[in-house]
Amino acid sequence: MLEAIDISHTFHVGTPFHRQVLRGVQIRLSPGEVVLLTGPSGSGKTTLARILAGLLKPTKGTIRLSGVDVHGTGVSSASARNQLVLACQYPERQFFANTVWDELSWGLRVGLGLARGEIAERLNLIAEDFAFPLGELAKRPPKSLSSGQQRKAALASLLVLEPRILILDEPLAGLNVKERQRLISLLRRWAKQNRTMLIIAHELELFLDWVEKVAVMDSGQMIFYDPPAELCQATDSALRQAASLPDIVEISFFLKHSGLSDGPITTDVARVRRQLREALAKNKDKLIHGQTVEPSGK
């Protein structure tokens, strides 16, 4: 279990440039749980991710991984940190090896101490998942790759470690539509393997139908932390705006609350189309004669 308890953080403490970015944030990721973290830019999502991964010590509060303080100094805390991997918002900026092969295999060689045969097997599998031409690019410098290839190589170097807990900060950035679908398929497969994931993203339409919970942050605070269905049904306009719900959900929400549909509020495009057809059929005469369709007050 990964747990954040009353986390607050301020940058540049004691200077004229101090800025509080997190205020009393609490979140708990149970084993095997997949959580989508979203919210406006600057709401504190990336700072929280870095704190959860043990890369940044919060001004106040505690991070516990399997009951161990992530920011502790003992052997047990170091062991706990090895269970978790953070894919930063721009992971390709972390390249340090001379070749793509060395970059992707470093964690397996140095961190896990695997034999060359097992390393090759893991890398080939992850390269296939990402449609990444490892055979062609293995000897090239990582920074000589295209931006899309760099992003895939960076993610592959982390996912190949098969961590128990994975934090992904904007993993879809820089990927085209086909590459995004591949990554989503991979993450969904991992979700079925009892892996814990926290995914920071704005493209809610790609996640709402399979993650267990959605966490919404705004101005450094956690303003929502519940299942996706409850977010889709929420009537708080400020929350809906902060979450930036997909258009298809907002259409379904409008139909339901205008009395034009019996619901449910859904992310299913086919179902929303049926709701629209039913609403049009129900109000056909009014629309033909130019009358306003009045909300029912539901």
Side-chain angles (χ1 to χ4, degrees), residues 163-181:
R164 285 178 51 197
I165 301 175
L166 180 62
I167 300 175
L168 295 165
D169 191 354
E170 298 288 359
L172 304 181
L175 301 181
N176 61 36
V177 173
K178 186 177 291 187
E179 290 166 343
R180 287 182 172 205
Q181 292 299 336

Side-chain angles (χ1 to χ4, degrees), residues 6 9 28 51 71 96 98 102 110 119 127 146 158 181 205 215 217 230 237 248 254 257 266 273:
D6 195 24
H9 190 69
R28 175 182 295 181
I51 290 174
H71 298 283
F96 61 91
N98 293 324
D102 288 342
V110 179
I119 291 173
S146 68
L158 298 173
Q181 292 299 336
E205 64 275 10
M217 292 189 66
E230 295 191 24
S237 59
I248 197 70
F254 172 79
H257 286 270
T266 178
R273 283 175 178 167

Side-chain angles (χ1 to χ4, degrees), residues 29 67 116 123 129 171 178 185 189 196-197 203 246 254 267 270 295:
L29 303 179
R116 185 171 181 83
L123 288 181
D129 283 331
K178 186 177 291 187
S185 296
R189 190 162 75 244
T196 305
M197 289 187 281
E203 302 88 350
F254 172 79
T267 61

Side-chain angles (χ1 to χ4, degrees), residues 91-92 94-109 123 138 140-143 153-154 156-158 160:
E92 60 272 16
Q94 301 172 194
F95 288 148
F96 61 91
N98 293 324
T99 68
V100 170
W101 178 271
D102 288 342
E103 186 71 44
L104 268 63
S105 65
W106 189 90
L108 300 176
R109 290 183 287 111
L123 288 181
R140 286 180 55 176
K143 293 187 178 180
S157 69
L158 298 173
V160 76

Side-chain angles (χ1 to χ4, degrees), residues 215-228:
V216 182
M217 292 189 66
D218 194 16
S219 301
Q221 296 180 302
M222 190 74 72
I223 62 173
F224 181 89
Y225 187 50
D226 275 306

